[in-house]
Amino acid sequence: MVEENQMGMNGQQGLKGVEVNQVLTGTVTRVDEKQALVDVGYKYDGILPISEVSSLHIEKVADVLSEGQEIQVKVIRIDQGKDEMIVSKRAVDAEKAWGELQKKFESGEVFGVVIADVVKGGLVVDLGVRGFIPASHVERHFVEDFSDYKGKTLSVKVIELDKEKNKVILSHRAVLEEEANKQKQKVLESLEPGSVIEGTVQRLTDFGAFVDVGGVDGLVHISEIAWHHVEKPADVLKEGQKVKVKVLKVDKENERISLSIKATLPGPWEQAADKFKAGDVVKGTVKRLISFGAFIEVAPGVEGLVHISQIANRHIGTPDEVLKEGEEVNVKILDFNPSEERMSLSIREALDEKQKQEVKKEVAAYQVEENAPGSMSVTIADRMGNMSDLLKKFKS
């Protein structure tokens, strides 16, 4: 048993076996609005003022303590004349907290805290001492309203600790970033060039789109979005959209992933194989003029060559005598090899084909007219003359 009549650190005569600054374990016997009484096993209960209950501001003692609860308190003042002993729970909690927080700070330990209050600039937690999570350290993204965070449990790390200034700064964002980095490394290790996976469009820029592939963003360059020319990524994609991507390159050292959406889609020549065949007459657009001919686009990403000899029914010196870039023309497919992405075209034969079709229509119309009632008034000579003209057209 502690000896009687020990002197407290402030020079006061202590109660039986009790000194100022002594830590005692007791039971809460009564809870009032602004104070509580604690039975520490001595002559009378210790008085625990509301200001000594918690490191945080509280409205009433009942918010923290209840009758019958066992707590540890520190004796902070003894008044023999009034038979009064003032104790503090806050002082005991703080002393324990600083030691534990120092260990957590040095080890980088992640631990859970319950948000006690939302204040200007961040969140407050009770660690035995007041802990503060600045707004910029709550999440990885911007949060406009923190009101929903009160009572919520967050995993945090101590990022700043100063006992002299009673300063404890915590960060939830640091925990999230650490988890994201671990996930990133895991994904970087698992991705293989050539593999096709599903991702989500996270962000659109002028030069491409960032796609989330398992917690890591990879870049789809604007040239890899589609087989046709894309002016702006936003014209084709939208944020949140699910897309299939092919992994082109993984740079583990610099943590960069190059992706392609167009590589997962049928190429223009693959699509053209189902659409075109030799002998077809199709519409196209003059894309480029060169000395020996012109390149005509007959479908997005599919161009064929019209040799200069196949441009007109007459001799021309250069293609620009007849054609201009951007002009729409009819072309006949002479040869088509989709596997080698080659197509030979002819404007001249398309013109001949058109003329032949027109002649066939005229012949058919003539035959209908000949067989119509009253057609006997047409002389044999007239018939022969008309037929001769049509045949000349056809042969030409």
Side-chain angles (χ1 to χ4, degrees):
M1 180 179 289
V2 180
E3 290 184 301
E4 297 184 64
N5 300 323
Q6 290 181 313
M7 295 294 292
M9 289 183 70
N10 61 357
Q12 293 175 312
Q13 180 68 35
L15 297 176
K16 181 181 178 182
V18 177
E19 292 182 340
V20 171
N21 286 337
Q22 186 174 350
V23 175
L24 306 168
T25 299
T27 303
V28 178
T29 58
R30 178 175 165 181
V31 176
D32 296 328
E33 186 176 355
K34 298 300 180 183
Q35 69 176 29
L37 297 182
V38 183
D39 178 5
V40 292
Y42 293 98
K43 186 177 179 180
Y44 44 79
D45 293 346
I47 299 171
L48 176 60
I50 191 171
S51 60
E52 295 298 331
V53 173
S54 170
S55 62
L56 305 183
H57 172 75
I58 57 174
E59 293 297 328
K60 54 184 184 295
V61 177
D63 290 340
V64 178
L65 299 176
S66 58
E67 290 183 13
Q69 185 176 347
E70 187 175 272
I71 60 173
Q72 281 193 317
V73 292
K74 187 176 187 178
V75 179
I76 57 173
R77 192 171 75 248
I78 297 170
D79 190 329
Q80 287 182 313
K82 295 181 179 179
D83 285 342
E84 186 178 80
M85 175 174 59
I86 308 300
V87 296
S88 172
K89 176 180 179 296
R90 178 171 67 92
V92 175
D93 293 343
E95 200 166 304
K96 286 182 180 178
W98 283 113
E100 291 174 1
L101 288 170
Q102 186 63 42
K103 289 177 183 177
K104 287 180 168 66
F105 180 52
E106 291 172 358
S107 65
E109 181 184 337
V110 175
F111 57 100
V113 295
V114 178
I115 305 305
D117 203 4
V118 177
V119 297
K120 184 178 180 181
L123 308 174
V124 174
V125 299
D126 185 2
L127 301 169
V129 293
R130 183 182 186 272
F132 183 62
I133 308 175
S136 60
H137 280 273
V138 176
E139 303 286 355
R140 296 178 73 196
H141 57 271
F142 174 74
V143 179
E144 187 172 351
D145 183 10
F146 289 101
S147 57
D148 291 341
Y149 281 77
K150 189 170 182 178
K152 189 176 180 180
T153 300
L154 296 180
S155 53
V156 297
K157 292 176 73 173
V158 180
I159 58 171
E160 192 176 340
L161 196 64
D162 190 332
K163 187 175 180 180
E164 289 183 9
K165 295 181 180 178
N166 200 36
K167 186 177 184 181
V168 182
I169 305 299
L170 309 170
S171 175
H172 177 55
R173 190 188 75 187
V175 176
L176 297 177
E177 288 178 345
E178 190 175 277
E179 290 172 353
N181 285 333
K182 286 179 181 177
Q183 177 64 18
K184 190 171 190 177
Q185 291 305 315
K186 188 177 177 182
V187 173
L188 286 168
E189 291 297 326
S190 66
L191 287 178
E192 291 293 336
S195 58
V196 176
I197 53 180
E198 188 177 80
T200 305
V201 178
Q202 290 291 94
R203 199 159 45 93
L204 299 174
T205 67
D206 292 337
F207 56 84
F210 286 96
V211 176
D212 182 333
V213 286
V216 181
D217 286 353
L219 174 65
V220 179
H221 190 267
I222 191 169
S223 62
E224 293 293 335
I225 290 177
W227 286 104
H228 61 273
H229 174 71
V230 175
E231 196 70 38
K232 292 185 298 182
D235 293 339
V236 181
L237 301 170
K238 58 183 180 181
E239 291 181 2
Q241 181 180 343
K242 300 286 185 183
V243 291
K244 277 190 177 180
V245 291
K246 184 174 183 178
V247 181
L248 301 181
K249 186 179 178 183
V250 180
D251 185 344
K252 295 177 184 177
E253 188 177 336
N254 294 306
E255 299 184 349
R256 290 177 184 171
I257 304 169
S258 298
L259 305 170
S260 173
I261 294 174
K262 82 174 184 182
T264 67
L265 305 171
W269 287 90
E270 290 178 68
Q271 296 179 58
D274 297 327
K275 189 176 180 182
F276 304 118
K277 64 181 184 300
D280 288 350
V281 175
V282 296
K283 283 190 181 294
T285 304
V286 180
K287 300 300 286 186
R288 283 178 294 141
L289 297 176
I290 52 179
S291 60
F292 57 86
F295 283 99
I296 311 295
E297 185 179 63
V298 296
V302 179
E303 292 183 8
L305 173 66
V306 178
H307 189 268
I308 192 169
S309 63
Q310 294 294 326
I311 290 178
N313 283 320
R314 59 183 176 84
H315 173 75
I316 59 173
T318 57
D320 59 9
E321 291 178 24
V322 180
L323 301 172
K324 59 182 179 181
E325 291 184 0
E327 180 183 356
E328 194 174 80
V329 293
N330 286 321
V331 290
K332 183 176 181 179
I333 301 173
L334 303 180
D335 182 49
F336 181 38
N337 191 334
S339 62
E340 295 183 11
E341 299 187 358
R342 286 191 309 163
M343 185 184 285
S344 297
L345 306 171
S346 173
I347 295 174
R348 190 182 74 185
E349 289 202 22
L351 291 171
D352 291 345
E353 196 71 36
K354 183 180 179 183
Q355 194 174 39
K356 287 176 185 178
Q357 293 302 321
E358 288 175 353
V359 170
K360 285 181 181 178
K361 286 179 183 178
E362 288 184 34
V363 170
Y366 175 77
Q367 289 173 339
V368 171
E369 183 184 334
E370 185 183 44
N371 295 324
S375 61
M376 295 299 292
S377 60
V378 181
T379 66
I380 293 175
D382 288 337
R383 290 175 186 171
M384 293 301 292
N386 289 340
M387 183 61 73
S388 176
D389 289 341
L390 290 171
L391 287 172
K392 283 179 185 178
K393 269 188 179 182
F394 187 81
K395 289 178 179 178
S396 65

